[in-house]
């Protein structure tokens, strides 16, 4: 007797795999149009691109980035090199860079160097292995290793503040003078005359530019700072705390302290609290960068804003314009503005109103004597 076939239900048919053909059929366009849209070519009609992405979303289609790279010969991958992942400024920068990259169909490869040459070498190795099409060097200084190895492979690079005069190199020039000048003017208008500055590392180009901008702004208002009012820090919380302790040991400490970055300023707030000094009643403090946490400090930190969004978006678009041969939108130099953001860590210095009543040039006896009130003239009877 012949064996009967299994009565079990037949296996369901295998689910059809989505690819650019199914996306093209759903969108009612050609396969070539789908390919050009997914690869981000600027020649695609925006209406067609909209149909393609709508169909891809409906089908749950995800482009295979490795296949795209093999087919087009492009990785659509940009490198982003930062110096200190522990500094809150850089995660904000990374987020803005990645958001922009994803929007234009690119991916990013992040490398943090911690100012360590060996780490930098490993970062460069990874980027060369992954065939990055460009790299944004957001370490606020030229890294010779980056130039020698990536530039030798024809990889376009974007630097902050300074870049070599070579093919594919762009610079994001930060206008430090504007924001730092506004901060100095702000303190001067409040009545501060003893203004200190905690600088950044001496080997960091951006830190040198910030210190120079501070000196220039102080000279412009006729208050060149004495040498002891400028203390070297290292752009960390600990560096800010130590530098502030140095300033507080002076016989006549400053009434206001400006800092080369916000991490330093937060360290200053910590040192002031430990010393029993109230901010801003007894000491005004200003930072630089305007990291997200600055507005949630106690008190909220007055700081100079250097927009992470502007830096990230400008760096990305400079790289994209170069690799896509968009000569009209690629430049060797891009300007990044700065702006003072006034919060509650600055105020009139203690004793300022008294100093206005008794100028510094007045004699000591006059300054200490109580104000003389005008006496009413006694009327005398007419003779």
């Amino acid at each position: 007797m012949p064996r009967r076939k299994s009565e079990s239900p037949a296996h369901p048919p295998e689910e059809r795999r989505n690819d650019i053909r199914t996306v093209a059929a759903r969108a009612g366009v050609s396969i070539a149009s789908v390919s050009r849209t997914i690869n981000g070519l600027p020649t695609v009609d925006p209406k067609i691109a909209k149909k393609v992405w709508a169909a891809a979303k409906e089908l749950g289609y995800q482009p295979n980035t490795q296949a795209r790279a093999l087919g087009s010969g492009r990785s659509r991958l940009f490198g982003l090199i930062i110096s200190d992942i522990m500094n809150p400024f850089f995660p904000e920068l990374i987020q803005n860079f990645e958001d922009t990259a994803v929007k234009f169909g690119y991916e990013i490869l992040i490398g943090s160097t911690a100012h360590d040459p060996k780490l930098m070498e490993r970062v460069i190795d990874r980027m060369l292995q992954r065939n990055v099409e460009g790299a944004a060097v957001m370490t606020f200084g030229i890294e010779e290793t980056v130039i020698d190895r990536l530039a030798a492979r024809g990889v376009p690079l974007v630097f902050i503040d300074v870049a070599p005069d070579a093919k594919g190199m762009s610079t994001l020039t930060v206008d430090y003078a504007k924001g730092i000048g506004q901060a100095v003017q702000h303190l001067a208008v409040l009545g501060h005359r003893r203004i200190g500055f905690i600088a950044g590392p001496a080997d960091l180009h951006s830190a040198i530019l910030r210190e120079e901008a501070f000196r220039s702004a102080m000279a412009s208002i006729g208050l060149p700072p004495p040498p002891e009012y400028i203390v070297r820090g290292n752009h960390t919380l600990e560096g800010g705390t130590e530098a502030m302790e140095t300033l507080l040991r002076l016989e006549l400490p400053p009434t206001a302290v400006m800092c080369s970055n916000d991490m330093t300023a937060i360290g200053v707030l910590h040192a002031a609290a430990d010393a029993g000094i109230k901010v801003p009643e007894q000491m005004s403090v200003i930072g630089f960068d305007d990291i997200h946490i600055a507005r949630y400090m106690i008190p909220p930190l007055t700081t100079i804003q250097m927009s992470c969004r502007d830096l990230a978006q400008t760096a990305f678009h400079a790289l994209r314009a170069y690799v896509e041969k968009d000569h009209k939108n690629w430049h060797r130099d891009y300007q990044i503005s700065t702006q003072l953001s006034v919060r509650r860590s600055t105020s009139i210095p203690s004793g300022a109103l008294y100093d206005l009543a008794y100028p510094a040039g007045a004699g000591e006896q006059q300054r200490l004597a109580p104000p003389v009130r005008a006496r009413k003239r006694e009327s005398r009877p007419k003779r």
Side-chain angles (χ1 to χ4, degrees):
M1 187 175 179
R3 293 183 63 181
R4 298 178 62 184
K5 293 182 179 180
S6 172
E7 300 292 337
S8 60
H11 293 290
E14 189 176 315
E15 186 177 347
R16 185 177 179 183
R17 186 175 179 180
N18 289 323
D19 56 19
I20 63 171
R21 293 177 179 80
T22 52
V23 174
R26 176 65 65 91
V29 300
S30 69
I31 294 173
S33 293
V34 175
S35 178
R36 287 197 297 269
T37 300
I38 290 172
N39 283 291
L41 298 182
T43 55
V44 180
D45 186 298
K47 292 180 180 178
I48 292 177
K50 188 176 180 180
K51 288 181 179 179
V52 170
W53 288 119
K57 186 176 181 180
E58 288 174 11
L59 294 167
Y61 171 74
Q62 293 294 331
N64 186 320
T65 56
Q66 292 181 339
R68 284 165 56 191
L70 288 172
S72 66
R74 293 188 55 194
S75 67
R76 298 190 70 83
L77 179 67
F78 284 154
L80 177 60
I81 302 174
I82 61 170
S83 55
D84 183 9
I85 194 67
M86 299 301 291
N87 185 330
F89 176 83
F90 289 107
E92 292 180 34
L93 182 70
I94 292 169
Q95 184 66 63
N96 282 284
F97 193 92
E98 184 175 37
D99 288 346
T100 309
V102 169
K103 181 179 177 182
F104 287 90
Y106 282 78
E107 295 182 71
I108 67 170
L109 180 61
I110 302 166
S112 179
T113 69
H115 302 289
D116 183 339
K118 291 183 179 179
L119 277 177
M120 173 61 82
E121 286 285 350
R122 290 202 288 268
V123 166
I124 301 307
D125 286 341
R126 288 172 54 221
M127 292 192 175
L128 290 173
Q129 290 164 7
R130 294 287 302 278
N131 193 30
V132 296
E133 294 191 56
V137 187
M138 303 286 102
T139 57
F140 290 87
I142 289 182
E143 301 284 354
E144 295 297 336
T145 308
V146 176
I147 298 169
D148 293 343
R149 299 189 61 200
L150 289 176
R153 292 274 291 268
V155 178
L157 303 171
V158 177
F159 294 88
I160 295 178
D161 294 329
V162 60
D165 187 12
K167 185 179 179 181
M169 304 290 177
S170 295
T171 310
L172 308 183
T173 302
V174 180
D175 188 358
Y176 297 110
K178 178 185 176 184
I180 290 175
Q182 289 175 346
V184 167
Q185 290 285 345
H186 170 65
L187 292 174
V189 168
L190 288 174
H192 291 278
R193 299 297 178 265
R194 304 198 310 271
I195 303 172
F197 185 77
I198 299 178
D203 58 350
L204 190 61
H205 189 73
S206 65
I208 295 170
L209 293 177
R210 295 175 196 194
E211 181 181 342
E212 289 175 350
F214 170 76
R215 290 180 182 275
S216 177
M218 290 292 287
S220 71
I221 62 171
L223 290 174
E228 64 271 21
Y229 274 17
I230 297 182
V231 181
R232 183 70 54 196
N234 60 6
H235 281 180
T236 67
L237 294 170
E238 296 79 7
T241 300
E242 292 172 8
M244 181 61 168
E245 290 169 351
T246 299
L247 289 173
L248 292 178
R249 285 194 292 268
L250 295 175
E251 185 177 350
L252 193 63
T255 61
V257 176
M258 288 182 57
C259 303
S260 187
N261 76 342
D262 283 346
M263 293 297 281
T264 299
I266 293 171
V268 166
L269 293 177
H270 180 76
D274 276 355
I277 294 173
K278 294 181 179 180
V279 176
E281 294 85 352
Q282 296 171 286
M283 174 77 71
S284 288
V285 179
I286 295 181
F288 191 108
D289 283 338
D290 196 19
I291 60 178
H292 185 67
I293 198 174
R295 68 199 68 183
Y296 297 104
M297 297 305 298
I298 300 176
L301 183 65
T302 294
T303 184
I304 298 158
Q305 182 186 71
M306 179 175 61
S307 172
C308 280
R309 179 177 296 177
D310 288 349
L311 279 171
Q313 291 184 350
T314 305
F316 173 81
H317 287 302
L319 293 174
R320 178 172 176 259
Y322 189 86
V323 301
E324 295 185 3
K325 297 180 172 54
D326 184 2
H327 304 297
K328 185 175 70 173
N329 290 313
W330 182 82
H331 308 285
R332 191 165 295 280
D333 185 71
Y334 299 82
Q335 299 297 312
I336 303 296
S337 185
T338 59
Q339 182 76 33
L340 180 66
S341 181
V342 179
R343 298 193 179 103
R344 297 207 296 272
S345 66
T346 51
S347 72
I348 296 172
S350 178
L353 297 178
Y354 182 80
D355 288 342
L356 289 173
Y358 298 100
E364 188 66 20
Q365 293 299 321
Q366 180 181 346
R367 285 171 58 82
L368 295 176
V372 178
R373 295 180 180 178
R375 295 179 180 177
K376 291 184 181 180
R377 190 171 183 180
E378 293 180 2
S379 59
R380 295 182 180 180
K382 294 181 180 179
R383 292 184 179 177

